[in-house]
Amino acid sequence: LVHGQLLFQKGSPKDACLMVLRGAFRLQEGAAGQGGRVFSAGEITGEIALAQDPAISSEVWPADALIDDECDLLEVGRVDVAAAVRSTFEEHLATVSRSVPLQTLEQAAVALRTNSRDRRTLQELAMLSDILGCFKDFARLDPDFRTELAQLLYALDMEQGKVLTAQEAPRGFVCVLEGSVDIMAPQEAGRELVML
């Protein structure tokens, strides 16, 4: 992209993350060529678009963007990320489906929902550990450590509108099995922005 080239116009849908690989571009403020936020090599903007559901929230670019210096950009679109996530999920699901009988998965779901973590049987822990072992990231772990992780797993049914965790609270890994989760972040103006 060359100096002065329009990258996008004010009000265009913010549906991609942009990373500046070389050069710079400017979000215009005021008269053309005057002021505004400059994004230089190594900087990223628009990343919130990757997490947003366009059916819930559709952000737009707040200003025109012009290329300041000859510029190379990496653009990652929401559709690209969604396809990658879907592909990864389907790959993991296929791995588990090939490795774990459906009856075992059903028993694991029951164990996660009905037994408190401190009341699980050794058989339930072994079953959960074996399921974790189907995933390459967990398969490399020592079996005893995987069993400890299995002890920490639990299912949580949440009502609509209930807060799962607050910004200051320690976080763990959460896998959403049904429904959806909205992630809210404070904005400078005090309003909240739906991220997912």
Side-chain angles (χ1 to χ4, degrees), residues 112 117-118 120 124-155 172-173:
L112 289 171
R117 290 181 284 178
D118 57 345
R120 290 193 183 137
E124 290 169 336
L125 286 174
M127 175 180 52
L128 294 171
S129 177
D130 289 346
I131 292 171
L132 284 176
C134 293
F135 298 93
K136 62 183 176 188
D137 294 333
F138 294 109
R140 297 182 285 231
L141 298 176
D142 175 76
D144 291 336
F145 184 68
R146 219 173 35 237
T147 300
E148 288 180 38
L149 284 177
Q151 180 68 16
L152 298 174
L153 294 175
Y154 65 98
F173 178 78

Side-chain angles (χ1 to χ4, degrees), residues 154-166:
Y154 65 98
L156 185 60
D157 290 325
M158 300 288 293
E159 295 175 17
Q160 184 175 356
K162 191 169 181 182
V163 175
L164 178 61
T165 183

Side-chain angles (χ1 to χ4, degrees), residues 8-22:
F8 52 77
Q9 290 183 312
K10 178 179 180 175
S12 299
K14 191 186 284 190
D15 57 4
C17 171
L18 300 174
M19 179 176 187
V20 183
L21 302 176
R22 179 178 66 88

Side-chain angles (χ1 to χ4, degrees), residues 51-107:
Q52 286 182 317
D53 180 346
I56 297 172
S57 175
S58 53
E59 288 284 310
V60 295
W61 291 104
D64 290 349
L66 295 175
I67 302 302
D68 245 12
D69 295 326
E70 194 170 301
C71 189
D72 290 329
L73 295 173
L74 174 64
E75 180 178 350
V76 180
R78 181 186 299 127
V79 173
D80 302 322
V81 171
V85 168
R86 188 170 35 259
S87 172
T88 301
F89 176 76
E90 288 169 358
E91 177 186 321
H92 286 310
L93 186 59
T95 299
V96 171
S97 298
R98 282 191 308 270
S99 307
V100 182
L102 179 59
Q103 183 179 4
T104 303
L105 290 174
E106 290 171 346
Q107 290 170 350

